[in-house]
Coordinates of all heavy atoms in Angstrom, one line a residue:
L1 N 0.8 -1.2 0.0 CA 0.0 0.0 0.0 C 0.8 1.3 0.0 O 0.4 2.3 -0.4 CB -0.9 0.0 1.2 CG -2.2 -0.9 1.2 CD1 -2.8 -1.0 2.5 CD2 -3.1 -0.5 0.1
W2 N 2.1 1.1 0.4 CA 3.0 2.3 0.6 C 3.1 3.1 -0.8 O 3.2 4.3 -0.8 CB 4.4 1.9 1.0 CG 5.3 3.0 1.0 CD1 5.5 3.9 2.0 CD2 6.2 3.4 0.0 NE1 6.5 4.8 1.7 CE2 6.9 4.5 0.4 CE3 6.5 2.9 -1.3 CZ2 7.9 5.2 -0.4 CZ3 7.5 3.5 -2.1 CH2 8.2 4.6 -1.6
Y3 N 3.0 2.3 -1.9 CA 3.2 3.0 -3.2 C 2.1 4.0 -3.5 O 2.2 4.8 -4.4 CB 3.2 1.9 -4.3 CG 4.5 1.1 -4.3 CD1 4.5 -0.2 -3.7 CD2 5.6 1.6 -4.9 CE1 5.7 -0.9 -3.7 CE2 6.8 0.8 -4.9 CZ 6.8 -0.4 -4.3 OH 8.0 -1.2 -4.3
F4 N 1.0 3.9 -2.7 CA -0.2 4.8 -2.9 C -0.3 5.8 -1.8 O -1.3 6.5 -1.8 CB -1.4 3.9 -3.1 CG -1.3 3.0 -4.3 CD1 -0.8 1.7 -4.1 CD2 -1.8 3.4 -5.5 CE1 -0.7 0.9 -5.2 CE2 -1.6 2.5 -6.6 CZ -1.1 1.3 -6.5
T5 N 0.6 5.9 -0.9 CA 0.7 6.9 0.1 C 1.3 8.2 -0.6 O 1.9 8.1 -1.7 CB 1.5 6.5 1.3 OG1 2.8 6.3 0.9 CG2 0.9 5.2 1.9
N6 N 1.2 9.3 0.1 CA 1.8 10.5 -0.4 C 3.3 10.3 -0.6 O 3.9 10.8 -1.6 CB 1.6 11.7 0.6 CG 0.2 12.2 0.6 OD1 -0.6 11.9 -0.4 ND2 -0.2 12.9 1.6
A7 N 4.0 9.6 0.3 CA 5.4 9.4 0.2 C 5.7 8.5 -1.0 O 6.7 8.8 -1.8 CB 6.0 8.8 1.5
G8 N 4.9 7.5 -1.2 CA 5.2 6.6 -2.3 C 4.9 7.3 -3.7 O 5.7 7.1 -4.6
L9 N 3.9 8.1 -3.8 CA 3.6 8.8 -5.0 C 4.6 9.9 -5.3 O 5.0 10.1 -6.4 CB 2.2 9.4 -5.0 CG 1.0 8.4 -4.9 CD1 -0.3 9.2 -4.7 CD2 1.0 7.5 -6.1
E10 N 5.1 10.5 -4.2 CA 6.2 11.5 -4.4 C 7.5 10.9 -4.9 O 8.2 11.4 -5.7 CB 6.4 12.2 -3.1 CG 7.3 13.4 -3.1 CD 6.8 14.5 -4.0 OE1 5.5 14.6 -4.1 OE2 7.6 15.3 -4.6
E11 N 7.8 9.7 -4.3 CA 9.0 8.9 -4.7 C 8.9 8.6 -6.2 O 9.9 8.6 -6.9 CB 9.1 7.7 -3.9 CG 10.5 7.1 -3.9 CD 10.7 6.1 -5.0 OE1 9.7 5.6 -5.5 OE2 11.8 5.7 -5.3
A12 N 7.7 8.1 -6.6 CA 7.5 7.8 -8.0 C 7.6 9.0 -9.0 O 8.1 8.9 -10.1 CB 6.1 7.1 -8.2
K13 N 7.2 10.2 -8.5 CA 7.2 11.4 -9.3 C 8.6 12.0 -9.4 O 9.0 12.5 -10.5 CB 6.3 12.4 -8.6 CG 6.2 13.7 -9.4 CD 5.1 14.6 -8.9 CE 5.3 15.0 -7.5 NZ 4.3 15.9 -7.0
T14 N 9.4 11.9 -8.4 CA 10.8 12.4 -8.4 C 11.8 11.5 -8.8 O 13.0 11.9 -9.1 CB 11.1 12.9 -6.9 OG1 11.1 11.8 -6.0 CG2 10.2 14.0 -6.5
K15 N 11.5 10.2 -8.9 CA 12.5 9.2 -9.3 C 12.9 9.5 -10.8 O 12.1 9.8 -11.6 CB 11.9 7.8 -9.2 CG 12.9 6.7 -9.5 CD 12.2 5.3 -9.3 CE 13.2 4.2 -9.6 NZ 12.5 2.9 -9.4
T16 N 14.2 9.3 -11.1 CA 14.7 9.4 -12.4 C 13.9 8.5 -13.4 O 13.8 7.3 -13.1 CB 16.2 9.1 -12.5 OG1 16.9 10.0 -11.5 CG2 16.7 9.4 -13.8
T17 N 13.5 9.1 -14.5 CA 12.7 8.3 -15.4 C 13.6 7.3 -16.1 O 14.6 7.6 -16.7 CB 12.1 9.2 -16.5 OG1 11.2 10.2 -15.8 CG2 11.2 8.4 -17.5
I18 N 13.1 6.0 -16.1 CA 13.8 4.9 -16.8 C 12.8 4.1 -17.6 O 11.7 3.9 -17.1 CB 14.5 4.0 -15.8 CG1 15.5 4.8 -14.9 CG2 15.2 2.8 -16.5 CD1 16.2 3.9 -13.9
E19 N 13.1 3.7 -18.8 CA 12.2 2.9 -19.6 C 11.9 1.6 -18.8 O 12.8 1.0 -18.3 CB 12.9 2.6 -20.9 CG 12.9 3.7 -21.9 CD 11.5 4.1 -22.4 OE1 10.6 3.2 -22.4 OE2 11.3 5.3 -22.8
D20 N 10.6 1.3 -18.8 CA 10.2 0.0 -18.1 C 10.9 -1.2 -18.6 O 11.2 -2.1 -17.9 CB 8.7 -0.2 -18.3 CG 7.9 0.9 -17.5 OD1 8.5 1.6 -16.7 OD2 6.7 1.0 -17.7
D21 N 11.2 -1.2 -19.9 CA 11.9 -2.4 -20.5 C 13.4 -2.4 -20.3 O 14.1 -3.3 -20.7 CB 11.5 -2.5 -22.0 CG 10.1 -2.8 -22.2 OD1 9.4 -3.4 -21.3 OD2 9.5 -2.5 -23.3
A22 N 13.9 -1.3 -19.8 CA 15.4 -1.2 -19.6 C 15.8 -2.2 -18.5 O 15.1 -2.5 -17.6 CB 15.8 0.2 -19.2
M23 N 17.0 -2.7 -18.7 CA 17.5 -3.7 -17.8 C 18.5 -3.1 -16.8 O 19.3 -2.3 -17.2 CB 18.3 -4.8 -18.5 CG 17.4 -5.5 -19.6 SD 16.0 -6.3 -18.9 CE 16.7 -7.7 -18.0
I24 N 18.3 -3.3 -15.5 CA 19.1 -2.8 -14.5 C 19.6 -3.9 -13.6 O 19.0 -5.0 -13.5 CB 18.3 -1.7 -13.6 CG1 17.1 -2.4 -12.9 CG2 17.9 -0.6 -14.5 CD1 16.4 -1.4 -12.0
M25 N 20.7 -3.7 -12.9 CA 21.2 -4.7 -11.9 C 20.5 -4.6 -10.6 O 20.3 -3.5 -10.1 CB 22.7 -4.4 -11.7 CG 23.4 -5.5 -10.8 SD 23.4 -7.1 -11.6 CE 24.7 -6.8 -12.9
S26 N 20.0 -5.7 -10.2 CA 19.1 -5.8 -8.9 C 19.7 -6.9 -8.0 O 20.2 -7.9 -8.5 CB 17.7 -6.0 -9.3 OG 16.9 -6.1 -8.1
T27 N 19.6 -6.6 -6.7 CA 20.0 -7.6 -5.7 C 18.8 -8.5 -5.4 O 17.7 -8.0 -5.0 CB 20.5 -6.9 -4.4 OG1 21.6 -6.1 -4.8 CG2 20.9 -8.0 -3.4
L28 N 18.9 -9.8 -5.5 CA 17.9 -10.8 -5.3 C 17.8 -11.1 -3.8 O 18.7 -10.8 -3.0 CB 18.1 -12.1 -6.1 CG 18.3 -11.9 -7.6 CD1 18.6 -13.2 -8.3 CD2 17.0 -11.2 -8.2
P29 N 16.7 -11.7 -3.3 CA 16.5 -12.0 -1.9 C 17.6 -12.9 -1.3 O 17.9 -12.7 -0.1 CB 15.2 -12.8 -1.9 CG 14.4 -12.3 -3.1 CD 15.5 -12.0 -4.1
D30 N 18.3 -13.7 -2.1 CA 19.4 -14.6 -1.6 C 20.7 -13.9 -1.6 O 21.7 -14.5 -1.3 CB 19.5 -15.8 -2.4 CG 19.8 -15.6 -3.9 OD1 19.9 -14.4 -4.3 OD2 19.9 -16.5 -4.7
G31 N 20.7 -12.6 -2.0 CA 22.0 -11.8 -1.9 C 22.7 -11.7 -3.2 O 23.6 -10.9 -3.4
S32 N 22.3 -12.6 -4.2 CA 22.9 -12.5 -5.5 C 22.4 -11.4 -6.3 O 21.4 -10.7 -6.0 CB 22.7 -13.9 -6.2 OG 21.3 -14.1 -6.5
T33 N 23.0 -11.1 -7.4 CA 22.6 -10.0 -8.3 C 22.2 -10.5 -9.7 O 22.7 -11.6 -10.1 CB 23.7 -8.9 -8.4 OG1 24.9 -9.5 -9.0 CG2 24.0 -8.3 -7.1

């Protein structure tokens, strides 16, 4: 639900725009990337 709070919407608005299909490096739950 946080994504729909004022803080979550503000974070989405101020976040640097990246194409949805762009690939980025992410850390998985097991610690791997």
